[in-house]
Amino acid sequence: MKLATTLLITLALLLGWASGQSASHQVAVIIPGHIGIRILGDGGWPRAVVFDYSANPTAYLAAAQGSGILLPTAVEHFNDIQVSTNRLFWSVHVRATPLSYSGSETGAGLTLADIRVRRGVRSGLSPRVWTWSYLSTWTLSTTFQRIVQGLFPTGGWRSLGFNGWDYELRVHGDEDPGTYTTVVTYSLTAP
């Protein structure tokens, strides 16, 4: 009986000591703000939109004398442009380098403003992001211009609704023969 009483008292003391103890710690979870923009293609480089009418000058002349609009003859590795962000407010801007000319003339007759994008017109793409506003058409310029203003996080990668097939070139028939090139940069920003 004495042994049982001793065991009972020892057990009660151990349980009392164990139930009166506690420990705690904090858990901190830090989610970084992120923004990302990408041009999807079929894996190759460079990304390019090409208006090469040297093999078909009749089409160039017909456009110059008619609507003035030429469509790309090739689009290389530019199937979609997408953004991803967890920021509440964000914007996409576009800017192009000045046209670089190589040919035997002066490079007169063609300007950046002759190159424009009409969102989804030929690609069939449509924006898959929550936006405040977006331009449906824009011309290239050496200064940044906002083409999309987003209001909500994207929840993953989302299409801006255009690709290289949505570019077009306005010609007038007075362009110097040669090659004109520019580099177009799309930038995603968030405050």
Side-chain angles (χ1 to χ4, degrees), residues 71-155:
L71 303 180
T73 55
V75 172
E76 299 170 358
H77 319 295
F78 183 179
N79 301 335
D80 195 7
I81 187 163
Q82 298 181 342
V83 295
S84 176
T85 182
N86 62 355
R87 300 291 185 93
L88 187 58
F89 300 105
W90 51 272
S91 297
V92 175
H93 297 82
V94 62
R95 176 176 69 177
T97 60
L99 281 175
S100 173
Y101 172 75
S102 62
S104 60
E105 306 292 328
T106 64
L110 191 66
T111 68
L112 281 176
D114 292 320
I115 304 169
R116 74 177 175 181
V117 177
R118 294 195 308 149
R119 183 187 308 272
V121 168
R122 282 179 274 308
S123 68
L125 296 171
S126 60
R128 301 288 183 216
V129 295
W130 288 98
T131 60
W132 223 338
S133 64
Y134 66 86
L135 297 178
S136 58
T137 302
W138 61 91
T139 59
L140 296 186
S141 169
T142 57
T143 59
F144 272 114
Q145 57 183 313
R146 183 173 52 217
I147 61 169
V148 178
Q149 188 168 6
L151 181 58
F152 297 104
T154 60

Side-chain angles (χ1 to χ4, degrees), residues 167-188:
Y167 278 70
E168 59 187 34
L169 176 65
R170 179 171 299 280
V171 293
H172 310 282
D174 63 348
E175 296 82 11
D176 284 345
T179 301
Y180 300 80
T181 58
T182 183
V183 176
V184 180
T185 302
Y186 291 93
S187 299
L188 173 63

Side-chain angles (χ1 to χ4, degrees), residues 11-22:
L11 183 60
L13 287 173
L14 285 174
L15 286 175
W17 177 77
S19 65
Q21 298 292 311
S22 66

Side-chain angles (χ1 to χ4, degrees), residues 38-49:
R38 66 184 181 185
I39 297 175
L40 294 181
D42 52 11
W45 290 98
R47 313 274 191 230
V49 178

